[in-house]
Amino acid sequence: YQRRVHGIGQTTGNLGYFGKGHYSSSKTGTSLAYCRPNSLGVQALLLCRVVVGIPYMTNSLMMGQDIPANYNSVVANAGSGSDELVIPVDYGIRPSYLILF
């Protein structure tokens, strides 16, 4: 049994600046930059649990590349105020809360 959340796993139209996978951030501001209102003007954020495993740390673009061998995720721009976490697999991220605003 697997629940699907509309929009999860869909493409944003780019190759993925820091590699292929699902993107998340510990910074609310970074996540808010990706929010778009629906026809009623409501926006949504998912607060998720993410399995990081062994992270590959980078500040360089990895346009569409796979996560390097022997790593489970990519942490980009850590400490910059706009960090992003990329995980390549669906089962590595689980929504915990839906925030509508």
Side-chain angles (χ1 to χ4, degrees):
Y1 176 73
Q2 181 179 0
R3 291 182 181 222
R4 300 291 302 173
V5 177
H6 178 72
I8 298 279
Q10 293 181 350
T11 182
T12 59
N14 67 43
L15 297 175
Y17 291 129
F18 302 107
K20 297 176 185 176
H22 298 289
Y23 280 65
S24 64
S25 178
S26 64
K27 307 293 183 187
T28 305
T30 301
S31 298
L32 286 173
Y34 292 96
C35 287
R36 300 292 178 266
N38 68 10
S39 61
L40 300 173
V42 177
Q43 296 184 64
L45 275 177
L46 284 173
L47 181 61
C48 299
R49 295 177 186 259
V50 181
V51 178
V52 178
I54 302 170
Y56 176 78
M57 308 295 280
T58 186
N59 290 320
S60 301
L61 296 181
M62 300 172 53
M63 294 300 291
Q65 295 178 36
D66 290 328
I67 290 175
N70 302 317
Y71 293 95
N72 306 109
S73 61
V74 171
V75 174
N77 299 324
S80 71
S82 64
D83 68 345
E84 297 190 48
L85 170 64
V86 185
I87 56 166
V89 292
D90 292 343
Y91 57 80
I93 186 168
R94 289 286 182 252
S96 297
Y97 298 96
L98 172 62
I99 302 166
L100 302 173
F101 57 99

